[in-house]
Amino acid sequence: MPDVSASTATRSGAAETRRSAKPEPVTAVMPDVIGGNAGRAFEQMSSELDMVFKDASGQGRAVDDPAAWKICDSQPGPNQQITEYPVVFDVVEVSESCEDATSR
């Protein structure tokens, strides 16, 4: 009997390792954060959620401080099921307009 318990524990331990190495999407819905501050969205969403902030202006700028940027779009979109990672936020600097970025 002890051999069976040890074997079961080993299998479940391996499954735990696989989950943490490649997390499965959580059953969650993307909040509507369009127009909001990227820094606040980062803080409000789970710290375990894999998210990327992408410059929507087409200039390829690095988003080093999300608090200095606002969200123009997200993948998945607002109120859609999160089914894959990373969640992507298209952002522009706070002083810029999302309309200008999306028309380029």
Side-chain angles (χ1 to χ4, degrees):
M1 272 307 212
D3 292 336
V4 173
S5 298
S7 175
T8 303
T10 303
R11 272 191 236 121
S12 66
E16 294 281 334
T17 303
R18 280 195 299 273
R19 273 197 298 267
S20 62
K22 184 177 179 184
E24 294 179 23
V26 294
T27 303
V29 173
M30 174 62 92
D32 185 356
V33 293
I34 306 302
N37 183 276
R40 280 190 223 117
F42 180 78
E43 291 171 1
Q44 290 174 357
M45 298 184 81
S46 171
S47 61
E48 296 176 8
L49 183 66
D50 185 12
M51 58 184 100
V52 173
F53 295 95
K54 185 175 117 186
D55 181 2
S57 73
Q59 299 176 48
R61 299 172 292 186
V63 182
D64 296 325
D65 179 12
W69 298 74
K70 67 180 168 187
I71 300 170
C72 295
D73 197 11
S74 66
Q75 291 86 45
N79 305 312
Q80 292 182 355
Q81 192 77 21
I82 298 172
T83 59
E84 59 184 72
Y85 292 113
V87 170
V88 178
F89 295 100
D90 294 321
V91 297
V92 293
E93 290 184 351
V94 171
S95 62
E96 298 172 344
S97 167
C98 287
E99 289 77 25
D100 291 342
T102 57
S103 66
R104 290 182 188 184

